[in-house]
Amino acid sequence: MTETLVGTAAAAGPARPLVQVENLGRVFDVSPPWLNRVIERLPQRLLRAVAGVNFTIDRCETFALVGESGSGKSTVAKMVVGLIPPTTGQVIIDGVSMTNPAHDGQRRALRRRIQMVFQDPYASLNPRWRAFDIIAEPIRAFSLADSRQEIAARVGELLTLVGLDPADGAKYPHEFSGGQRQRIAIARALASEPEFIVCDEPTSALDVSVQAQILNLMRDLQDRLGLTYLFISHNLAVVRHMANRIGVMYLGRLVEVAPSRDLFRAPRHPYTRMLLDAVPDLEMTGRQRKAVEGEIPNPIDPPAGCAFHPRCPFANDRCRAERPEPVAAGAGEVACHAVAEGRI
């Protein structure tokens, strides 16, 4: 019987990814008001925050997006959960498109299975609500419990699960520390019994020691509950601890995607190398490092060709004129002419 089941699963092929992001893009109109543009004869100004982003996330996997501030990581996160609509492309979660009107009914049922943990654990909590009501709101919204006693029991379980006491439910957000507030935010995210959680820099506002506690909690919850994470961060040490695969973003585009171990051992893209060289070398290996140079360009007026070429030591005329497309590189892919041509 076991052999039959294994053979059937093999014949069915690989499992479908839980999350599929296809050609995702977002353009914001940052022009002055229409009347000002007419009077002052100003052109329309468009900010391309995200362009042509593609990636998948398997079930129970952590996929991380890293990059400097302004690279488009948080915009991608908000489009994935449906907080802002994409200008181009689509997000498909468990076979359901987050933008196709034909999937409206399925999308409503899918909402419960998607949650988000935000960067600021104080701004994301209602200061007028007690912790009990903050955590209970998703339970009520999705009708996951019938009586107040059941809700109270579930909230107590969630508080215990994230390392707090059920009695803490009577307190307001200002009565907790930053780490405790983020635990409440995580408990709220878990209240709807989700499968997929988007974490938008969930530890960047916390002390280093507290960061480690929250990250370990999230890893434990993933193992216990079978969660899938999209993890947004600019901290490569955090990403190395959390992620199975990593996507590196620069000026709204993915420049490299690779398994975590491969990316830290042998980064391909010059930008990835620059980010890794900026990480403090605690082992004092003496390896020569290249200092970070320049700043991320203005996304309203990006450079022609490869957006990284003004800061890249390997740039040539082709890099300045032609935008590179992703090509396979080991177990991942990289968008770099120098890599494709074998120059690095």
Side-chain angles (χ1 to χ4, degrees):
M1 181 64 177
T2 303
E3 294 179 359
T4 303
L5 290 175
V6 171
T8 303
R16 179 179 62 191
L18 179 63
V19 181
Q20 298 167 265
V21 173
E22 301 175 352
N23 194 35
L24 198 64
R26 175 68 195 193
V27 177
F28 293 100
D29 188 343
V30 294
S31 307
W34 176 81
L35 185 58
N36 294 64
R37 284 194 285 127
V38 170
I39 293 174
E40 301 174 29
R41 298 184 180 181
L42 298 173
Q44 187 179 27
R45 304 186 71 192
L46 299 177
L47 188 155
R48 190 174 297 277
V50 176
V53 169
N54 296 275
F55 61 83
T56 61
I57 310 176
D58 293 329
R59 297 175 189 275
C60 302
E61 181 186 32
T62 298
F63 180 80
L65 286 178
V66 300
E68 295 172 281
S69 296
S71 60
K73 308 182 300 296
S74 294
T75 303
V76 170
K78 291 173 183 176
M79 286 192 286
V80 167
V81 297
L83 289 179
I84 58 176
T87 305
T88 60
Q90 64 176 341
V91 178
I92 301 173
I93 300 179
D94 201 14
V96 178
S97 172
M98 299 297 287
T99 55
N100 190 339
H103 291 183
D104 283 350
Q106 296 169 284
R107 188 160 54 247
R108 281 191 289 270
L110 184 67
R111 292 291 184 189
R112 180 186 65 79
R113 299 162 56 194
I114 306 169
Q115 288 296 329
M116 189 167 184
V117 177
F118 295 92
Q119 178 177 357
D120 189 339
Y122 189 65
S124 65
L125 303 178
N126 189 332
R128 298 185 178 183
W129 284 16
R130 298 179 189 272
F132 177 93
D133 297 312
I134 291 172
I135 299 171
E137 181 63 15
I139 301 174
R140 297 190 182 104
F142 293 107
S143 302
L144 299 178
D146 297 325
S147 65
R148 182 169 178 81
Q149 289 74 21
E150 291 181 19
I151 294 175
R154 178 60 178 155
V155 171
E157 291 175 5
L158 290 167
L159 285 168
T160 303
L161 188 63
V162 299
L164 296 175
D165 191 277
D168 290 330
K171 299 178 182 178
Y172 289 94
H174 72 269
E175 298 179 78
F176 295 96
S177 67
Q180 290 173 325
R181 291 172 192 156
Q182 198 62 290
R183 290 175 187 270
I184 293 171
I186 293 171
R188 176 181 60 185
L190 296 175
S192 65
E193 302 174 5
E195 298 175 32
F196 176 49
I197 299 180
V198 175
C199 310
D200 187 6
E201 304 208 34
T203 60
S204 63
L206 306 177
D207 293 338
V208 175
S209 60
V210 179
Q211 286 185 20
Q213 296 172 16
I214 297 299
L215 292 173
N216 289 332
L217 171 64
M218 295 178 69
R219 286 288 298 269
D220 291 343
L221 292 172
Q222 183 176 37
D223 294 339
R224 184 183 303 188
L225 305 176
L227 300 172
T228 302
Y229 291 143
L230 170 59
F231 197 91
I232 311 297
S233 181
H234 62 268
N235 188 328
L236 288 170
V238 167
V239 168
R240 188 172 194 172
H241 177 71
M242 289 294 296
N244 305 104
R245 289 188 303 125
I246 300 172
V248 181
M249 290 195 70
Y250 187 78
L251 208 65
R253 294 182 181 274
L254 278 172
V255 297
E256 184 169 2
V257 177
S260 178
R261 181 176 300 177
D262 294 348
L263 186 129
F264 280 91
R265 185 180 66 245
R268 300 296 187 95
H269 198 280
Y271 178 60
T272 308
R273 296 182 179 190
M274 188 186 78
L275 291 179
L276 291 175
D277 281 346
V279 177
D281 186 359
L282 298 180
E283 297 179 358
M284 302 299 290
T285 61
R287 177 174 64 87
Q288 185 176 0
R289 291 167 173 260
K290 181 174 177 59
V292 176
E293 298 178 354
E295 296 181 356
I296 194 165
N298 183 353
I300 299 177
D301 185 23
C306 175
F308 187 63
H309 84 256
R311 306 170 68 183
C312 181
F314 304 98
N316 60 13
D317 291 340
R318 183 185 180 191
C319 299
R320 298 181 185 95
E322 179 186 340
R323 189 180 72 238
E325 296 297 330
V327 295
E333 59 181 26
V334 61
C336 178
H337 292 313
V339 173
E341 296 169 0
R343 292 190 280 117
I344 58 174

